[in-house]
Amino acid sequence: AQSVTQPDIHITVSEGASLELRCNYSYGATPYLFWYVQSPGQGLQLLLKYFSGDTLVQGIKGFEAEFKRSQSSFNLRKPSVHWSDAAEYFCAVGLHGSGNTGKLIFGQGTTLQVKP
Amino acid sequence: DGGITQSPKYLFRKEGQNVTLSCEQNLNHDAMYWYRQDPGQGLRLIYYSQIVNDFQKGDIAEGYSVSREKKESFPLTVTSAQKNPTAFYLCASSISSVPIREQFFGPGTRLTVL
């Protein structure tokens, strides 16, 4: 069955430090991949997406992610974290093909705390 | 501004009551989705609709019902058959479901059963 794993439930980094949030997926076909961010009590905002092509994708707010097929991973990175980046981050896989019409499977989320 | 609106933001329900959560979008999107979010469990798909007058069950449809009579509206009813309805409910839409496109989310409705 398709699944998305975010191994880190909670991460704390210092402001200005670099960040990497991990995402691994299990899916038999070429995945469509997404990262979303959620502030407390709010909806989800799309940070970036990968459909095909260049495996390093740039998103909003200075985030980037790299698709590594051999590792079934799509890790999110940011070179220098700002206090406003504190939020919950979700990785998602888009299912395509017969019977999987546009559904997204979400990971459990990683909560990012930023220390001043 | 284009976007997705959900109402109400907070909803309280007594056990045994049905309640309906509203979701409206003015993005002219064909596909709409309802998710349930519980702490530590990510988002789980309740129902989705690829086009007006059509919808399909997601992974946790039991105790929920939907309708899609208008392109811009996709209300979700939480029935008394839903055993544990207290959760945060998110509505989303995408321009299409085939091929896959990114989903855009509303601000959510927090439902509490008293």
Side-chain angles (χ1 to χ4, degrees):
Chain A
Q2 305 94 344
S3 66
V4 177
T5 302
Q6 294 180 243
D8 304 306
I9 296 173
H10 192 277
I11 282 183
T12 300
V13 300
S14 298
E15 190 168 17
S18 63
L19 171 70
E20 182 169 30
L21 301 182
R22 296 183 290 163
C23 174
N24 294 98
Y25 65 88
S26 173
Y27 185 48
T30 300
Y32 291 15
L33 296 161
F34 306 85
W35 273 101
Y36 285 86
V37 62
Q38 183 182 35
S39 297
Q42 303 297 317
L44 276 67
Q45 181 183 23
L46 179 70
L47 284 175
L48 46 78
K49 63 190 179 189
Y50 171 78
F51 287 173
S52 65
D54 192 347
T55 56
L56 184 63
V57 294
Q58 302 298 319
I60 62 171
K61 304 185 180 188
F63 286 92
E64 66 178 26
E66 185 172 14
F67 169 56
K68 293 186 177 180
R69 185 186 304 276
S70 62
Q71 299 178 18
S72 298
S73 69
F74 189 56
N75 294 349
L76 182 72
R77 300 194 294 250
K78 186 169 185 178
S80 177
V81 169
H82 188 262
W83 63 267
S84 60
D85 293 324
E88 190 159 21
Y89 292 79
F90 292 94
C91 180
V93 169
L95 309 184
H96 54 94
S98 177
N100 288 323
T101 47
K103 292 165 62 175
L104 297 186
I105 302 294
F106 286 84
Q108 294 182 320
T110 297
T111 300
L112 173 64
Q113 182 179 0
V114 180
K115 292 191 302 184
Chain B
D1 283 340
I4 302 174
T5 57
Q6 293 186 241
S7 61
K9 187 170 178 63
Y10 299 96
L11 186 57
F12 298 90
R13 188 193 92 174
K14 293 182 180 179
E15 284 192 21
Q17 288 181 335
N18 292 354
V19 290
T20 296
L21 283 59
S22 169
C23 178
E24 303 276 334
Q25 55 99 359
N26 61 3
L27 300 168
N28 200 33
H29 285 175
D30 281 328
M32 297 187 74
Y33 309 82
W34 273 106
Y35 292 91
R36 171 181 171 139
Q37 185 177 24
D38 296 283
Q41 295 195 42
L43 279 71
R44 293 180 290 168
L45 183 64
I46 304 172
Y47 268 97
Y48 64 104
S49 168
Q50 295 176 261
I51 199 166
V52 67
N53 291 322
D54 182 64
F55 51 83
Q56 290 84 38
K57 293 182 179 179
D59 300 317
I60 56 165
E62 185 176 352
Y64 299 97
S65 66
V66 294
S67 63
R68 185 87 188 276
E69 297 175 1
K70 297 187 295 184
K71 187 175 185 177
E72 60 271 23
S73 178
F74 191 41
L76 173 74
T77 297
V78 184
T79 75
S80 57
Q82 168 50 233
K83 290 182 171 45
N84 184 22
T86 294
F88 190 53
Y89 291 87
L90 287 159
C91 178
S93 71
S94 64
I95 192 165
S96 71
S97 59
V98 178
I100 292 175
R101 290 291 181 263
E102 59 269 36
Q103 293 181 14
F104 295 88
F105 285 80
T109 292
R110 184 166 300 281
L111 173 64
T112 302
V113 174
L114 303 174

PDB file of all heavy atoms in Angstrom, chain B residues 19-40:
ATOM      1  N   VAL B  19     -24.515  17.547  11.932  1.00  0.00           N
ATOM      2  CA  VAL B  19     -24.090  18.916  11.655  1.00  0.00           C
ATOM      3  C   VAL B  19     -23.518  18.986  10.254  1.00  0.00           C
ATOM      4  O   VAL B  19     -22.966  17.999   9.761  1.00  0.00           O
ATOM      5  CB  VAL B  19     -23.036  19.429  12.653  1.00  0.00           C
ATOM      6  CG1 VAL B  19     -23.637  19.647  14.021  1.00  0.00           C
ATOM      7  CG2 VAL B  19     -21.841  18.500  12.718  1.00  0.00           C
ATOM      8  N   THR B  20     -23.650  20.161   9.633  1.00  0.00           N
ATOM      9  CA  THR B  20     -23.139  20.340   8.273  1.00  0.00           C
ATOM     10  C   THR B  20     -22.083  21.426   8.267  1.00  0.00           C
ATOM     11  O   THR B  20     -22.297  22.528   8.776  1.00  0.00           O
ATOM     12  CB  THR B  20     -24.276  20.708   7.308  1.00  0.00           C
ATOM     13  OG1 THR B  20     -25.198  19.613   7.249  1.00  0.00           O
ATOM     14  CG2 THR B  20     -23.723  20.964   5.903  1.00  0.00           C
ATOM     15  N   LEU B  21     -20.933  21.093   7.674  1.00  0.00           N
ATOM     16  CA  LEU B  21     -19.822  22.025   7.518  1.00  0.00           C
ATOM     17  C   LEU B  21     -19.842  22.554   6.097  1.00  0.00           C
ATOM     18  O   LEU B  21     -19.951  21.774   5.134  1.00  0.00           O
ATOM     19  CB  LEU B  21     -18.494  21.311   7.796  1.00  0.00           C
ATOM     20  CG  LEU B  21     -18.106  21.030   9.249  1.00  0.00           C
ATOM     21  CD1 LEU B  21     -19.131  20.159   9.972  1.00  0.00           C
ATOM     22  CD2 LEU B  21     -16.730  20.369   9.292  1.00  0.00           C
ATOM     23  N   SER B  22     -19.662  23.855   5.994  1.00  0.00           N
ATOM     24  CA  SER B  22     -19.731  24.490   4.682  1.00  0.00           C
ATOM     25  C   SER B  22     -18.334  24.634   4.081  1.00  0.00           C
ATOM     26  O   SER B  22     -17.361  24.899   4.781  1.00  0.00           O
ATOM     27  CB  SER B  22     -20.377  25.874   4.818  1.00  0.00           C
ATOM     28  OG  SER B  22     -20.232  26.617   3.634  1.00  0.00           O
ATOM     29  N   CYS B  23     -18.255  24.465   2.767  1.00  0.00           N
ATOM     30  CA  CYS B  23     -17.038  24.707   2.009  1.00  0.00           C
ATOM     31  C   CYS B  23     -17.405  25.332   0.673  1.00  0.00           C
ATOM     32  O   CYS B  23     -18.188  24.738  -0.092  1.00  0.00           O
ATOM     33  CB  CYS B  23     -16.253  23.420   1.782  1.00  0.00           C
ATOM     34  SG  CYS B  23     -14.762  23.660   0.780  1.00  0.00           S
ATOM     35  N   GLU B  24     -16.866  26.510   0.403  1.00  0.00           N
ATOM     36  CA  GLU B  24     -17.134  27.218  -0.845  1.00  0.00           C
ATOM     37  C   GLU B  24     -15.810  27.640  -1.467  1.00  0.00           C
ATOM     38  O   GLU B  24     -14.906  28.078  -0.754  1.00  0.00           O
ATOM     39  CB  GLU B  24     -17.964  28.471  -0.572  1.00  0.00           C
ATOM     40  CG  GLU B  24     -19.288  28.213   0.138  1.00  0.00           C
ATOM     41  CD  GLU B  24     -20.402  27.814  -0.806  1.00  0.00           C
ATOM     42  OE1 GLU B  24     -20.342  28.197  -1.990  1.00  0.00           O
ATOM     43  OE2 GLU B  24     -21.335  27.116  -0.364  1.00  0.00           O
ATOM     44  N   GLN B  25     -15.709  27.509  -2.796  1.00  0.00           N
ATOM     45  CA  GLN B  25     -14.513  27.972  -3.492  1.00  0.00           C
ATOM     46  C   GLN B  25     -14.912  28.808  -4.705  1.00  0.00           C
ATOM     47  O   GLN B  25     -15.904  28.523  -5.366  1.00  0.00           O
ATOM     48  CB  GLN B  25     -13.616  26.793  -3.909  1.00  0.00           C
ATOM     49  CG  GLN B  25     -14.291  25.719  -4.734  1.00  0.00           C
ATOM     50  CD  GLN B  25     -14.066  25.796  -6.216  1.00  0.00           C
ATOM     51  OE1 GLN B  25     -13.385  26.707  -6.712  1.00  0.00           O
ATOM     52  NE2 GLN B  25     -14.622  24.831  -6.951  1.00  0.00           N
ATOM     53  N   ASN B  26     -14.127  29.849  -4.952  1.00  0.00           N
ATOM     54  CA  ASN B  26     -14.372  30.694  -6.133  1.00  0.00           C
ATOM     55  C   ASN B  26     -13.182  30.652  -7.078  1.00  0.00           C
ATOM     56  O   ASN B  26     -12.895  31.625  -7.774  1.00  0.00           O
ATOM     57  CB  ASN B  26     -14.690  32.123  -5.704  1.00  0.00           C
ATOM     58  CG  ASN B  26     -13.551  32.770  -4.937  1.00  0.00           C
ATOM     59  OD1 ASN B  26     -12.493  32.165  -4.772  1.00  0.00           O
ATOM     60  ND2 ASN B  26     -13.765  33.984  -4.463  1.00  0.00           N
ATOM     61  N   LEU B  27     -12.492  29.507  -7.084  1.00  0.00           N
ATOM     62  CA  LEU B  27     -11.326  29.308  -7.930  1.00  0.00           C
ATOM     63  C   LEU B  27     -11.682  28.644  -9.252  1.00  0.00           C
ATOM     64  O   LEU B  27     -10.796  28.411 -10.078  1.00  0.00           O
ATOM     65  CB  LEU B  27     -10.302  28.431  -7.173  1.00  0.00           C
ATOM     66  CG  LEU B  27      -9.799  29.015  -5.851  1.00  0.00           C
ATOM     67  CD1 LEU B  27      -9.033  27.960  -5.054  1.00  0.00           C
ATOM     68  CD2 LEU B  27      -8.932  30.234  -6.122  1.00  0.00           C
ATOM     69  N   ASN B  28     -12.939  28.320  -9.428  1.00  0.00           N
ATOM     70  CA  ASN B  28     -13.404  27.615 -10.626  1.00  0.00           C
ATOM     71  C   ASN B  28     -12.749  26.234 -10.755  1.00  0.00           C
ATOM     72  O   ASN B  28     -12.512  25.747 -11.865  1.00  0.00           O
ATOM     73  CB  ASN B  28     -13.157  28.429 -11.898  1.00  0.00           C
ATOM     74  CG  ASN B  28     -14.036  27.967 -13.052  1.00  0.00           C
ATOM     75  OD1 ASN B  28     -15.167  27.524 -12.847  1.00  0.00           O
ATOM     76  ND2 ASN B  28     -13.521  28.056 -14.264  1.00  0.00           N
ATOM     77  N   HIS B  29     -12.471  25.615  -9.614  1.00  0.00           N
ATOM     78  CA  HIS B  29     -11.870  24.285  -9.615  1.00  0.00           C
ATOM     79  C   HIS B  29     -12.924  23.203  -9.785  1.00  0.00           C
ATOM     80  O   HIS B  29     -14.021  23.301  -9.241  1.00  0.00           O
ATOM     81  CB  HIS B  29     -11.117  24.055  -8.300  1.00  0.00           C
ATOM     82  CG  HIS B  29      -9.824  24.785  -8.231  1.00  0.00           C
ATOM     83  ND1 HIS B  29      -9.039  24.782  -7.091  1.00  0.00           N
ATOM     84  CD2 HIS B  29      -9.156  25.523  -9.145  1.00  0.00           C
ATOM     85  CE1 HIS B  29      -7.937  25.487  -7.321  1.00  0.00           C
ATOM     86  NE2 HIS B  29      -7.996  25.956  -8.554  1.00  0.00           N
ATOM     87  N   ASP B  30     -12.548  22.163 -10.527  1.00  0.00           N
ATOM     88  CA  ASP B  30     -13.471  21.048 -10.714  1.00  0.00           C
ATOM     89  C   ASP B  30     -13.507  20.121  -9.503  1.00  0.00           C
ATOM     90  O   ASP B  30     -14.545  19.584  -9.148  1.00  0.00           O
ATOM     91  CB  ASP B  30     -13.064  20.228 -11.935  1.00  0.00           C
ATOM     92  CG  ASP B  30     -13.510  20.880 -13.235  1.00  0.00           C
ATOM     93  OD1 ASP B  30     -14.567  21.550 -13.232  1.00  0.00           O
ATOM     94  OD2 ASP B  30     -12.818  20.718 -14.250  1.00  0.00           O
ATOM     95  N   ALA B  31     -12.340  19.862  -8.904  1.00  0.00           N
ATOM     96  CA  ALA B  31     -12.244  18.849  -7.853  1.00  0.00           C
ATOM     97  C   ALA B  31     -12.252  19.479  -6.464  1.00  0.00           C
ATOM     98  O   ALA B  31     -11.666  20.535  -6.238  1.00  0.00           O
ATOM     99  CB  ALA B  31     -10.971  18.027  -8.030  1.00  0.00           C
ATOM    100  N   MET B  32     -12.936  18.798  -5.543  1.00  0.00           N
ATOM    101  CA  MET B  32     -12.980  19.245  -4.152  1.00  0.00           C
ATOM    102  C   MET B  32     -12.837  18.052  -3.235  1.00  0.00           C
ATOM    103  O   MET B  32     -13.195  16.915  -3.604  1.00  0.00           O
ATOM    104  CB  MET B  32     -14.279  20.012  -3.866  1.00  0.00           C
ATOM    105  CG  MET B  32     -14.398  21.285  -4.690  1.00  0.00           C
ATOM    106  SD  MET B  32     -15.815  22.315  -4.251  1.00  0.00           S
ATOM    107  CE  MET B  32     -15.269  23.011  -2.676  1.00  0.00           C
ATOM    108  N   TYR B  33     -12.309  18.307  -2.036  1.00  0.00           N
ATOM    109  CA  TYR B  33     -11.940  17.234  -1.117  1.00  0.00           C
ATOM    110  C   TYR B  33     -12.279  17.638   0.324  1.00  0.00           C
ATOM    111  O   TYR B  33     -12.208  18.812   0.672  1.00  0.00           O
ATOM    112  CB  TYR B  33     -10.428  16.970  -1.178  1.00  0.00           C
ATOM    113  CG  TYR B  33      -9.880  16.767  -2.569  1.00  0.00           C
ATOM    114  CD1 TYR B  33      -9.565  17.848  -3.383  1.00  0.00           C
ATOM    115  CD2 TYR B  33      -9.669  15.489  -3.064  1.00  0.00           C
ATOM    116  CE1 TYR B  33      -9.059  17.665  -4.661  1.00  0.00           C
ATOM    117  CE2 TYR B  33      -9.162  15.291  -4.339  1.00  0.00           C
ATOM    118  CZ  TYR B  33      -8.861  16.390  -5.129  1.00  0.00           C
ATOM    119  OH  TYR B  33      -8.365  16.200  -6.402  1.00  0.00           O
ATOM    120  N   TRP B  34     -12.571  16.636   1.136  1.00  0.00           N
ATOM    121  CA  TRP B  34     -12.711  16.829   2.576  1.00  0.00           C
ATOM    122  C   TRP B  34     -11.729  15.909   3.296  1.00  0.00           C
ATOM    123  O   TRP B  34     -11.664  14.697   3.013  1.00  0.00           O
ATOM    124  CB  TRP B  34     -14.125  16.505   3.046  1.00  0.00           C
ATOM    125  CG  TRP B  34     -15.081  17.647   2.963  1.00  0.00           C
ATOM    126  CD1 TRP B  34     -16.097  17.834   2.068  1.00  0.00           C
ATOM    127  CD2 TRP B  34     -15.122  18.782   3.835  1.00  0.00           C
ATOM    128  NE1 TRP B  34     -16.751  19.005   2.312  1.00  0.00           N
ATOM    129  CE2 TRP B  34     -16.175  19.609   3.399  1.00  0.00           C
ATOM    130  CE3 TRP B  34     -14.372  19.187   4.944  1.00  0.00           C
ATOM    131  CZ2 TRP B  34     -16.509  20.811   4.030  1.00  0.00           C
ATOM    132  CZ3 TRP B  34     -14.698  20.369   5.568  1.00  0.00           C
ATOM    133  CH2 TRP B  34     -15.753  21.164   5.115  1.00  0.00           C
ATOM    134  N   TYR B  35     -10.992  16.526   4.245  1.00  0.00           N
ATOM    135  CA  TYR B  35     -10.042  15.785   5.059  1.00  0.00           C
ATOM    136  C   TYR B  35     -10.392  15.963   6.532  1.00  0.00           C
ATOM    137  O   TYR B  35     -10.925  16.990   6.947  1.00  0.00           O
ATOM    138  CB  TYR B  35      -8.611  16.300   4.863  1.00  0.00           C
ATOM    139  CG  TYR B  35      -8.032  16.044   3.502  1.00  0.00           C
ATOM    140  CD1 TYR B  35      -8.160  16.980   2.487  1.00  0.00           C
ATOM    141  CD2 TYR B  35      -7.328  14.876   3.243  1.00  0.00           C
ATOM    142  CE1 TYR B  35      -7.611  16.758   1.228  1.00  0.00           C
ATOM    143  CE2 TYR B  35      -6.771  14.639   1.995  1.00  0.00           C
ATOM    144  CZ  TYR B  35      -6.923  15.589   0.996  1.00  0.00           C
ATOM    145  OH  TYR B  35      -6.375  15.358  -0.244  1.00  0.00           O
ATOM    146  N   ARG B  36      -9.991  14.977   7.283  1.00  0.00           N
ATOM    147  CA  ARG B  36     -10.077  15.054   8.739  1.00  0.00           C
ATOM    148  C   ARG B  36      -8.657  15.039   9.282  1.00  0.00           C
ATOM    149  O   ARG B  36      -7.820  14.244   8.822  1.00  0.00           O
ATOM    150  CB  ARG B  36     -10.862  13.859   9.270  1.00  0.00           C
ATOM    151  CG  ARG B  36     -10.829  13.731  10.782  1.00  0.00           C
ATOM    152  CD  ARG B  36     -11.600  12.539  11.255  1.00  0.00           C
ATOM    153  NE  ARG B  36     -11.364  12.339  12.681  1.00  0.00           N
ATOM    154  CZ  ARG B  36     -12.297  12.002  13.548  1.00  0.00           C
ATOM    155  NH1 ARG B  36     -13.547  11.784  13.150  1.00  0.00           N
ATOM    156  NH2 ARG B  36     -12.003  11.866  14.825  1.00  0.00           N
ATOM    157  N   GLN B  37      -8.387  15.914  10.261  1.00  0.00           N
ATOM    158  CA  GLN B  37      -7.061  15.980  10.856  1.00  0.00           C
ATOM    159  C   GLN B  37      -7.172  15.758  12.359  1.00  0.00           C
ATOM    160  O   GLN B  37      -7.905  16.460  13.050  1.00  0.00           O
ATOM    161  CB  GLN B  37      -6.396  17.338  10.573  1.00  0.00           C
ATOM    162  CG  GLN B  37      -4.968  17.417  11.079  1.00  0.00           C
ATOM    163  CD  GLN B  37      -4.293  18.727  10.726  1.00  0.00           C
ATOM    164  OE1 GLN B  37      -4.947  19.738  10.496  1.00  0.00           O
ATOM    165  NE2 GLN B  37      -2.974  18.722  10.661  1.00  0.00           N
ATOM    166  N   ASP B  38      -6.449  14.775  12.840  1.00  0.00           N
ATOM    167  CA  ASP B  38      -6.344  14.497  14.263  1.00  0.00           C
ATOM    168  C   ASP B  38      -4.879  14.627  14.653  1.00  0.00           C
ATOM    169  O   ASP B  38      -3.980  14.344  13.846  1.00  0.00           O
ATOM    170  CB  ASP B  38      -6.844  13.078  14.576  1.00  0.00           C
ATOM    171  CG  ASP B  38      -8.309  12.907  14.266  1.00  0.00           C
ATOM    172  OD1 ASP B  38      -9.128  13.379  15.076  1.00  0.00           O
ATOM    173  OD2 ASP B  38      -8.652  12.311  13.218  1.00  0.00           O
ATOM    174  N   PRO B  39      -4.605  15.023  15.895  1.00  0.00           N
ATOM    175  CA  PRO B  39      -3.205  15.209  16.318  1.00  0.00           C
ATOM    176  C   PRO B  39      -2.378  13.961  16.072  1.00  0.00           C
ATOM    177  O   PRO B  39      -2.759  12.851  16.439  1.00  0.00           O
ATOM    178  CB  PRO B  39      -3.348  15.502  17.813  1.00  0.00           C
ATOM    179  CG  PRO B  39      -4.712  16.081  17.964  1.00  0.00           C
ATOM    180  CD  PRO B  39      -5.560  15.360  16.949  1.00  0.00           C
ATOM    181  N   GLY B  40      -1.223  14.148  15.429  1.00  0.00           N
ATOM    182  CA  GLY B  40      -0.298  13.050  15.205  1.00  0.00           C
ATOM    183  C   GLY B  40      -0.690  12.077  14.121  1.00  0.00           C
ATOM    184  O   GLY B  40      -0.006  11.067  13.915  1.00  0.00           O
TER     185      GLY B  40
END
